[in-house]
Amino acid sequence: MSAPPVLTYREVRKLFGSFVALGGVSMQVERGQVMCLIGPSGSGKSTLLRCTNGLETIDGGEILLDGVALARDERGLRDMRRRMGMVFQNFELFPHRTVLANVALGPRIVLRMDEAAARERAEALLEKVGLADKAGGYPANLSGGQQQRVAIARALAMEPEVMLFDEPTSALDPETIGEVLTVMKRLAEEGMTMIVVTHEMTFARRVADWVVVFERGLILEQGPPAQIFEAPHVERTREFLSHLGWEG
Amino acid sequence: MRLDWSVVWQNAPALAEGTLLTVVLTVVTMLIAVPAGIVLAMMRLSGLRLLSGASAAYVEFFRNLPLILVVYWAYYVMPVAVGVQLSGFVTGLVALCLNVSAYNSETFRAGIGSIRKGQTEAALALGMSRWQVMREIVLPQAARRVLPVLASTWVSLFKDTSLVSVIAVGELAYTAMRIRSQTFRVLEMLTAMAAIYWALGYPQAKLVDWLHRKFPVSE
């Protein structure tokens, strides 16, 4: 018997008032898989990510982490969030803490690691994202790309089973996008399970194992990147990609 | 008209004692009213109807009454309510705390509300509890942001402590007025009182200005 998928979505529905953000989405994420969610703005891909770690509650269907339905109660939800790292579009580093403290905060507060161990883990992760020399500085003194790399290190500090990236490069200057994507690519190569909401088609084409195209709260098409980018089965996928200037 | 300033020097020890009491009143009031303000603000933002309703009622009640009325009210009502005659100092302290807590609550509520929702979400995503998010992420940032406002409240409070003189608390205003009525040196005592309040208030006001520059409201 094979292990259950890390994440399973069954007919997930989410409403904002009368607006259907997710109209019944089913998909699954296997261990070690890098999945890119693409599609026009407002198509539900970010909402799906936010529902995954309970920042939004779903209105129908279910989401399973390692075969277990996502908890609804505060404590259960907290236990599941520890196992998922989240990276936000606007970084959301804690401006009143140093870079090192930002990364060490989760282990210290949530995992209750002692100061020295948390610090050691944070230093190692900053090294990994190439920012060991910025450990003592404050987020405000970093470039956008550097802040996002710290945010990735902060999420990794919880040693999550899966990383959720919500448009991680959308708020960045073009010249710093590359350094963030490089870190993400390295993470993918190390076997991290990742779900990435992105408009970076080159990244999706090269790094993803599986691409899911969203439109109006539904999955338009999903498949390996070669299919989505070279020979989409659905005409709307081709149209969406050509709007972005993707020539195939 | 002849001015005789010797009355000020002769009563210097009494004035010093009064000044000290004014400072103590200000400090102790703030020490109580800051945590009380945080608690009231968190009650208001808790989303629990009973708590937020109680907090709102409290704040709107005490914020909209003249402080001097609250002082009198505490003086006459507290002994009946608690069943013991409290000293003028404690009574005055209670009245000041009731008033300043209400103001501080609004200050903290605005401060907490000014912290981006994304900060809370990022902390929740790490697996923190609501309380941990408040303690580690939201309150420290909010405190920094409201510091200049709290400092302004402090300076107002420093002067407003003079209102408890109406119930015979021997702080600076009461002491100066008492000496005035004993010696009939009205102009000298009022001038001395003004000079002391100003000399102590001015550096505090400058400190507030400095805090406003040091911690500007910005993202």
Side-chain angles (χ1 to χ4, degrees):
Chain A
M1 196 184 99
S2 66
V6 179
L7 282 163
T8 308
Y9 300 81
R10 285 192 195 130
E11 286 299 311
V12 174
R13 291 174 55 79
K14 174 69 188 175
L15 307 170
F16 291 112
S18 61
F19 176 74
V20 182
L22 294 171
V25 169
S26 300
M27 60 181 222
Q28 53 189 45
V29 186
E30 305 295 339
R31 196 163 295 283
Q33 195 172 40
V34 176
M35 182 181 274
C36 280
L37 311 186
I38 65 172
S41 298
S43 59
K45 47 201 197 309
S46 281
T47 303
L48 189 73
L49 215 56
R50 292 168 57 79
C51 288
T52 305
N53 72 353
L55 289 178
E56 303 284 356
T57 45
I58 57 177
D59 296 309
E62 58 180 351
I63 301 175
L64 297 93
L65 177 64
D66 285 328
V68 181
L70 211 60
R72 292 272 180 162
D73 64 298
E74 167 91 34
R75 178 174 290 273
L77 204 52
R78 240 152 56 207
D79 287 337
M80 291 196 153
R81 281 178 179 146
R82 286 174 201 187
R83 297 158 58 192
M84 303 184 242
M86 177 110 172
V87 175
F88 297 84
Q89 184 178 343
N90 293 313
F91 333 132
E92 298 299 351
L93 293 180
F94 307 129
H96 61 304
R97 295 303 196 95
T98 63
V99 166
L100 187 75
N102 263 275
V103 182
L105 199 63
R108 219 163 49 70
I109 302 295
V110 179
L111 303 180
R112 306 203 177 283
M113 278 170 71
D114 67 69
E115 195 81 42
R119 193 190 163 87
E120 200 174 312
R121 183 182 285 188
E123 279 168 348
L125 284 166
L126 284 175
E127 182 78 54
K128 185 186 169 96
V129 298
L131 290 169
D133 57 323
K134 303 285 184 191
Y138 281 85
N141 300 325
L142 303 184
S143 72
Q146 290 171 330
Q147 288 193 48
Q148 195 61 297
R149 280 146 69 197
V150 174
I152 293 172
R154 177 177 68 180
L156 288 174
M158 298 298 290
E159 300 193 330
E161 293 169 43
V162 52
M163 286 283 283
L164 312 174
F165 292 87
D166 188 7
E167 299 199 24
T169 58
S170 297
L172 295 176
D173 294 332
E175 67 266 27
T176 63
I177 289 177
E179 63 192 62
V180 172
L181 292 180
T182 304
V183 168
M184 290 170 63
K185 186 161 178 282
R186 190 148 15 104
L187 212 53
E189 286 161 3
E190 288 168 11
M192 176 61 79
T193 311
M194 295 163 61
I195 308 182
V196 185
V197 172
T198 187
H199 295 293
E200 292 294 325
M201 293 306 141
T202 313
F203 178 82
R205 175 70 184 91
R206 292 204 188 133
V207 183
D209 305 308
W210 197 259
V211 177
V212 184
V213 189
F214 278 75
E215 189 182 53
R216 294 176 193 200
L218 292 169
I219 292 175
L220 194 61
E221 177 174 1
Q222 57 180 313
Q227 170 198 323
I228 301 294
F229 289 100
E230 316 304 338
H233 297 171
V234 183
E235 181 54 29
R236 286 287 300 131
T237 302
R238 191 192 307 275
E239 282 174 31
F240 167 68
L241 289 172
S242 72
H243 276 309
L244 291 177
W246 183 266
E247 300 300 339
Chain B
M1 185 173 175
R2 292 170 50 106
L3 292 176
D4 179 7
W5 292 102
S6 65
V7 64
V8 176
W9 315 126
Q10 280 157 18
N11 290 288
L15 287 173
E17 210 171 297
T19 306
L20 182 66
L21 198 60
T22 290
V23 173
V24 170
L25 264 177
T26 309
V27 171
V28 177
T29 299
M30 228 31 182
L31 282 178
I32 295 170
V34 164
I38 294 175
V39 170
L40 284 165
M42 282 171 51
M43 281 168 66
R44 185 75 179 268
L45 297 167
S46 66
L48 300 172
R49 243 204 171 121
L50 195 69
L51 287 181
S52 81
S55 169
Y58 173 92
V59 169
E60 292 312 332
F61 185 75
F62 284 107
R63 204 166 55 135
N64 294 302
L65 285 180
L67 179 52
I68 194 159
L69 183 68
V70 180
V71 174
Y72 275 124
W73 181 81
Y75 186 67
Y76 288 111
V77 174
M78 287 248 304
V80 184
V82 199
V84 270
Q85 186 65 51
L86 297 165
S87 70
F89 177 81
V90 174
T91 308
L93 184 65
V94 168
L96 289 171
C97 285
L98 287 173
N99 179 269
V100 179
S101 299
Y103 275 102
N104 284 352
S105 161
E106 289 301 278
T107 303
F108 277 108
R109 191 161 69 101
I112 291 169
S114 76
I115 306 303
R116 271 202 320 267
K117 196 163 156 250
Q119 287 282 300
T120 299
E121 291 183 343
L124 285 175
L126 286 174
M128 287 192 204
S129 68
R130 293 249 160 218
W131 167 238
Q132 286 171 334
V133 174
M134 208 24 119
R135 194 189 63 203
E136 298 290 332
I137 308 303
V138 178
L139 278 181
Q141 291 186 61
R144 207 166 291 209
R145 210 163 278 190
V146 303
L147 200 56
V149 185
L150 283 182
S152 297
T153 305
W154 172 285
V155 173
S156 296
L157 169 64
F158 178 72
K159 292 172 294 180
D160 288 348
T161 53
S162 59
L163 290 171
V164 303
S165 62
V166 298
I167 55 168
V169 180
E171 43 66 74
L172 178 56
Y174 180 82
T175 307
M177 298 307 223
R178 182 175 53 76
I179 298 165
R180 177 207 59 171
S181 58
Q182 285 164 355
T183 61
F184 302 106
R185 310 289 345 167
V186 179
L187 221 56
E188 291 86 338
M189 286 319 295
L190 287 181
T191 308
M193 183 172 139
I196 298 172
Y197 271 116
W198 192 87
L200 289 175
Y202 181 71
Q204 295 180 33
K206 285 286 121 186
L207 183 68
V208 173
D209 290 347
W210 179 78
L211 284 172
H212 271 288
R213 282 198 306 274
K214 180 107 199 310
F215 300 102
V217 178
S218 67
E219 266 304 303

